[in-house]
Amino acid sequence: MPKMKTISGAKKRFALTGTGKIKRKHAYKSHILTKKTKKRKLNLTHMGLVDRVDVANVKKMLCL
C-alpha cells in the first residue's frame, strides 16, 4: 500500500500545540478591512482551536 500523503494546504494552515490540540487562524482577516472595527480585527488576529467535530478530519489531512 502506498504511503499516506499529507494535504499540503492543511500543513500550511494548522499546527499542533504541546498538548496535542490543533491550532488554526481565523478567517476574514485578509481583505476588506476598512469596514471592520478595530475590536473585530484584533479578535481575528488571535489563534483559535479546531472544533472537536472537525479534529478527526484535520488529523486525517495531516496524517496524524
Side-chain angles (χ1 to χ4, degrees):
M1 194 164 115
K3 290 182 181 179
M4 294 287 292
K5 286 193 175 181
T6 299
I7 309 269
S8 59
K11 67 184 172 189
K12 296 170 191 172
R13 287 173 171 85
F14 301 108
L16 281 176
T17 64
T19 57
K21 295 176 183 173
I22 303 172
K23 291 191 300 187
R24 65 173 180 85
K25 290 183 180 175
H26 286 278
Y28 308 110
K29 185 73 191 335
S30 58
H31 60 94
I32 314 176
L33 298 173
T34 52
K35 64 174 79 169
K36 296 173 186 156
T37 63
K38 287 181 183 180
K39 181 180 179 180
R40 183 172 163 194
K41 288 186 282 191
L42 182 67
N43 287 335
L44 291 174
T45 301
H46 304 307
M47 297 290 273
L49 293 175
V50 172
D51 199 60
R52 63 177 180 78
V53 296
D54 299 319
V55 167
N57 279 335
V58 174
K59 283 188 175 181
K60 192 183 294 184
M61 287 191 281
L62 295 172
C63 295
L64 298 175

